[in-house]
Amino acid sequence: DTDTEILLTFKDSLANPSALSNWNASIHPCKGDRANWIGVLCLKNKIWGLQLENMGLAGLVNIEILDTLHTMRTISLMNNNFEGTMPDIRKLGALKALYLSNNRFTGEIPDDAFQGMRSLKRLFLANNAFTGKIPSSLTTLPKLIILRLEGNQFGGRIPDFNPKVVKVVNLANNQFEGPIPASLSKMGASMFSGNRNLCGPPLQACPLTSPPPSLPPIPSANPQLVSPKNTSYGLKVALIVVSIVLILVIIAALIFILSMRKQQSKELQETNLQDSNKVAAYNEGEKKVSESGGMMKRSELIFLKDNIERFDLQDLLRASAEVLGSGNFGASYKAVIMNGETMVVKRYKQMNNVGREDFHEHMRRLGRLNHQNLLPPVAYYYRKEEKLLVSKFMEDGSLASHLHANHTLDKPGLDWMTRLKIIKGVARGLTYLYNELPSLILPHGHLKSSNVLLDETFEPLLSDYALRPVINQEQAHLLMTAYKSPEYAMNGRISRKTDVWCLGILILEVLTGKIPENYLTARYDSNTNLATWVNEMVKEKKTGEVFDTEMSGTKNNKGEMINLLKIGLSCCEEDLETRPELKEVVQEIEQLREGDDDDDEEFSSTIGEVNAIISRGNVKDESFFSFNR
Ligand SMILES: Nc1ncnc2c1ncn2[C@@H]1O[C@H](COP(=O)(O)OP(=O)(O)OP(=O)(O)O)[C@@H](O)[C@H]1O
């Protein structure tokens, strides 16, 4: 197969392709919409993208090898150590997105490097060591929406872009100079920060380059003209009249300005009142707030990400907001903003004990996190009695909705490979939180399937994480999943292993397709614990009834399914000593093979075989039954 050959040639061209260990000719890179090879994005058996991020890849990269992969639409090599000059992508004319940020690319980019890239929408070259001018071929691309060049050594003047197309151009931390072109003057100032010699809106005005045109000479500057000797009586009268008229005009202007100010401040007060009523209406859970207001200043919504077009709270209120659902913390609203993007606004009422500065500081900390399995907060809003967090809307919904919705032919239940992919992504997101937030006792704290959102490739993104420091402590135990754990019920304590318990419940939920009742009761009760139920079923040799009957693709993967079940149960150990650390759990999960999902057989026969395997005791690790306390 030529696709396979091309990718293998690409792999061979890399200096250290060890991360691509499962790229081998024995299995096709794609199976339907799913990938058999790590980092490959598939659609209908065709390769539409490569996502080789955070893989420690280094050396030169020869993207030209991929020229003949005509279905390729997106390539990401972000967060590696690639070096060399800008790869030649001109033959990949159908490419829509290229992400090369956070590598070590160097040198000038040729002026024609983007010639003919008529489909290119997103180009990320941030945080490399590129030099020279912005290539002119980039400025004429008809579809380019986001251009990120920040953190390089680009220089010279900024060229004009088509303001009707381009939405984000981040040029921060480079060596650009001269005036910012009018087409970019509406972007936020942060897009240009860290360049020493830039001027013009949105930065400070440029200094005048030529001296101001000379003013006509002032007649009175010539003492002879005003000397009493030469001044006729008529001129004197004329001067007095002119002066009186001038004084009268000034007085009238002052009175006018003062009365205008009074009127304005009256109007402002009225508008504020109207708007606070409007916001109050919003707070009362109104589904739609369609009228525009005037109170919320843009500055009140604080943005945490650069690569997003700015909008303000008013835009969100003005957009027809639809209630997505009401969780423990409050309601979440879905709102389409001006540029057509859909956002989710989540209201938190139980954060009013935290001081303004502490809250800002924590949000900034969350804003710095960056991992493919975390849903980043885009912006937030602070008010003493209520906080709003804004994130992007994920079209493909949550893991909960996939597991527990009615399945149809159009929307079948998730297969085994996808479920394992989701668990692996969740484990990686959690590991990142544990590493990045070492001071937090609960780096996540609120892990559950409705807080695992899915992108179009079923890559999971965690949401509602790391909120414990800002949630009112007296309410946290009512709201957060971590406080439903056995250790909190028994000792009133939570620990660094409490997120592991939540991960265990999530694994069991994914395998059984059952809603964990644990989270519906006030506190942990072993009778409603999903792990207790699974243990009972295994004890009674009814393991066949444990696995979700909606799960397909299980035929060749029973051993791995059982291994994941074991891992899930070990995470749910009530005894903290016996419960493994997150690191150990993640290692075990990473070792699970996604395998071959040949799915010809009915699930029922699979269940029969699972039972047979268990009763023969053929599971890899004989201690499988040790969880039956
Ligand atoms: N960014 C998002 N994109 C798509 N759906 C979302 C997004 N954020 C939340 N949702 C979905 O909206 C619904 C309501 O979410 P919300 O976070 O308010 O409540 P919850 O997750 O059910 O409970 P909790 O408040 O305890 O987190 C859930 O089904 C959730 O999966």
Side-chain angles (χ1 to χ4, degrees), residues 327-329 332 346 392-394 398 446 448 450-451 464:
N328 293 321
F329 290 123
S332 290
K346 181 158 178 173
K392 284 193 181 174
F393 175 69
M394 303 298 295
S398 69
H446 201 38
K448 58 176 177 172
S450 67
N451 286 338
D464 265 350

Side-chain angles (χ1 to χ4, degrees), residues 456-555:
E456 63 285 2
T457 66
F458 290 101
E459 194 64 57
L461 291 100
L462 302 180
S463 70
D464 265 350
Y465 47 85
L467 292 179
R468 183 172 176 267
V470 289
I471 296 279
N472 298 345
Q473 287 314 298
E474 66 275 19
Q475 277 139 340
H477 69 277
L478 298 171
L479 306 172
M480 301 175 72
T481 54
Y483 290 87
K484 310 277 178 177
S485 60
E487 55 271 30
Y488 187 72
M490 291 170 198
N491 312 317
R493 278 182 43 209
I494 38 143
S495 101
R496 285 278 279 187
K497 282 188 179 175
T498 305
D499 276 332
V500 175
W501 180 79
C502 297
L503 175 62
I505 295 293
L506 189 84
I507 292 174
L508 298 184
E509 181 181 352
V510 163
L511 289 176
T512 62
K514 281 188 169 295
I515 295 176
E517 283 181 44
N518 321 39
Y519 295 143
L520 307 177
T521 54
R523 59 194 336 218
Y524 177 78
D525 171 0
S526 66
N527 291 327
T528 57
N529 181 16
L530 189 50
T532 311
W533 178 78
V534 175
N535 273 320
E536 295 289 321
M537 297 304 273
V538 176
K539 234 191 249 167
E540 292 169 25
K541 299 223 159 50
K542 290 189 195 156
T543 321
E545 289 167 45
V546 166
F547 291 102
D548 186 359
T549 48
E550 304 270 0
M551 174 162 57
S552 56
T554 55
K555 186 186 159 210

Side-chain angles (χ1 to χ4, degrees), residues 75-203:
I75 298 177
S76 177
L77 306 178
M78 292 212 289
N79 308 325
N80 284 296
N81 296 312
F82 283 117
E83 8 185 287
T85 51
M86 174 73 199
D88 188 355
I89 55 162
R90 282 169 303 175
K91 294 222 179 89
L92 284 158
L95 203 64
K96 290 185 172 177
L98 179 67
Y99 304 94
L100 301 181
S101 295
N102 305 321
N103 277 284
R104 297 180 185 171
F105 289 106
T106 50
E108 291 193 19
I109 303 182
D111 225 28
D112 59 354
F114 301 96
Q115 207 78 55
M117 303 297 298
R118 299 191 59 78
S119 306
L120 196 65
K121 288 185 168 177
R122 294 178 164 76
L123 180 64
F124 285 40
L125 304 181
N127 305 319
N128 281 287
F130 286 115
T131 55
K133 292 187 169 178
I134 295 183
S136 62
S137 54
L138 203 52
T139 61
T140 50
L141 296 182
K143 293 202 172 144
L144 189 70
I145 315 170
I146 304 184
L147 175 63
R148 295 196 47 181
L149 303 182
E150 73 269 23
N152 281 285
Q153 289 151 40
F154 285 109
R157 291 195 162 213
I158 302 175
D160 240 329
F161 284 84
N162 182 350
K164 289 205 184 112
V165 184
V166 80
K167 297 249 186 313
V168 174
V169 177
N170 193 335
L171 305 176
N173 302 321
N174 277 288
Q175 289 158 22
F176 289 110
E177 56 191 26
I180 294 171
S183 57
L184 303 183
S185 61
K186 298 252 159 61
M187 306 254 162
S190 62
M191 301 284 144
F192 305 98
S193 61
N195 288 281
R196 259 191 271 148
N197 296 318
L198 276 182
C199 62
L203 305 183

Side-chain angles (χ1 to χ4, degrees), residues 323-334 342-348 375 390-401 446 448-454 463-464 467 479-481:
V323 180
L324 264 179
S326 285
N328 293 321
F329 290 123
S332 290
Y333 301 84
K334 173 181 161 193
T342 311
M343 294 291 160
V344 171
V345 189
K346 181 158 178 173
R347 300 167 55 209
Y348 295 88
L375 181 71
V390 184
S391 57
K392 284 193 181 174
F393 175 69
M394 303 298 295
E395 297 282 348
D396 290 85
S398 69
L399 173 60
S401 68
H446 201 38
K448 58 176 177 172
S449 58
S450 67
N451 286 338
V452 176
L453 300 159
L454 300 175
S463 70
D464 265 350
L467 292 179
L479 306 172
M480 301 175 72
T481 54

Side-chain angles (χ1 to χ4, degrees), residues 340-359:
E341 260 198 276
T342 311
M343 294 291 160
V344 171
V345 189
K346 181 158 178 173
R347 300 167 55 209
Y348 295 88
K349 283 192 164 173
Q350 289 83 6
M351 290 185 181
N352 47 5
N353 290 349
V354 59
R356 181 182 284 270
E357 247 332 290
D358 289 343
F359 187 79

